Amino acid sequence: MGGRITDPTWRRAREGRQPIGPLLERERIVDGIRAFFKARGFNEVETPLLVRHPGMEPHLEVFETGLLTARGQRERAFLTTSPEYAMKKLLAAGLARIFQLCKAFRNREEVSSRHNPEFTILEWYRANADYRAIMDDCEELLIALRGGEELLYRGERIELARPWERLSVREAFRRHAGIELDECLERDGLAPIARARGYAVEADTTWEQLYHQLFLTEVEPRLGRPRPTILYDYPVSMAALARAKPDDPRYAERFELYVAGVELGNAFGELTDPVEQRRRLVLEQEERRAAGRTLYDLDEDLLDALADVPPSAGIALGVDRLVMLLTDQPSIRDVLWFPADQLFDVGNG
């Protein structure tokens, strides 16, 4: 391609071949997000995009770079996958309600209608609150941004009026896949079911891989219809930064938000026990090693800070997907001025 963008958004917009309205509507939506949180007493914060310790999630790959000084000193550095670590340190500093709109970066992902390696993320946290308060925030935020209690997306009517569907992962598997998850929390419990349904099950297929095959095919497409779904209480092995439920430690205080089958946000009742957090991060570090992912050290500053973080809850929400839904566009590339497949020679999935 010789470095030339063959048909960039700006040219299509100038020639009337791409609607510019959704791109301009993005500004109104972002302004609305800020107004929503400021009206509720949240402080807007800014944290670094260039960090020494990105998120440790085993399934995410990072963009690695280096920080060079004028004296020739080099420090290993990464573009952050989320501002979560830094924002938790601000909770430890005494801030009680914080939010942030920023860029985040994830490598080794398909460029698609739902994914771009550089994307905009909204995160907010409440001290002295649990994940149910974040659920309430989600309901109020979408209604405020929409300016009403109904959303039309790709010909599908989504009812935004509260209360939304609040569905446990356990109940979702029972209802949509006919699986009793309580009986399948070990690999040997889930593997026979997946194999009988025709999914790929090899000797080295993990429980999490089996879970995702079933979830992505049989459960997720049914969520968020005909009203948004808050899918809550994930198996604890899938919530490394969330606290376990006191009454059932097999599950953790995590929820995801779905609208019209699109996953918008991922929330936690935050784990604030530094000993348990260290144990989980070490396990994830080993999973990264086994998967051939980039390895880096634990964020010791985060582990030190957790001892001073009060009971808290927070969420990461994808702004590009939110704008896509609110402007009734089929792909996030329709609400990005410079999608990755216009900047690099990569396919759009």
Side-chain angles (χ1 to χ4, degrees), residues 16 20 38 51 54 86 90 112 120 173 192 245 248 260 274 284 303 310:
I20 200 169
K38 289 182 180 294
V51 298
L90 297 182
S112 72
T120 302
F173 266 80
K245 291 180 64 63
D248 190 350
E284 288 198 323
L303 294 169

Side-chain angles (χ1 to χ4, degrees), residues 187-242:
R187 184 187 183 282
D188 291 343
L190 206 53
I193 296 174
R195 187 179 291 111
R197 298 187 183 192
Y199 296 98
V201 182
E202 307 295 339
D204 59 349
T205 304
T206 66
W207 185 90
E208 286 76 12
Q209 289 169 331
L210 295 170
Y211 171 96
H212 279 108
Q213 288 185 90
L214 291 159
F215 177 77
L216 294 175
T217 304
E218 302 189 24
V219 179
E220 185 178 67
R222 297 173 171 84
L223 301 177
R225 297 180 162 112
R227 63 179 60 238
T229 299
I230 291 172
L231 186 70
Y232 67 92
D233 290 358
Y234 278 67
V236 72
S237 63
M238 304 180 66
L241 294 169

Side-chain angles (χ1 to χ4, degrees), residues 142 151 153 156 158 160 164 223-225 227-229 257-264 322 324-325:
L142 260 69
L151 172 69
Y153 182 68
E156 183 175 4
I158 305 297
L160 298 181
W164 294 351
L223 301 177
R225 297 180 162 112
R227 63 179 60 238
T229 299
L257 169 61
Y258 284 87
V259 179
V262 177
E263 187 254 305
L264 271 186
L322 176 63
M324 177 191 76
L325 286 167

Side-chain angles (χ1 to χ4, degrees), residues 54-55 60-64 78-79 81 105 107 288 294 296:
L60 297 182
E61 188 54 285
V62 295
F63 284 89
E64 182 172 358
F78 305 90
L79 295 178
T81 58
F105 304 85
N107 211 353
R288 293 190 66 83
T294 302
Y296 34 82

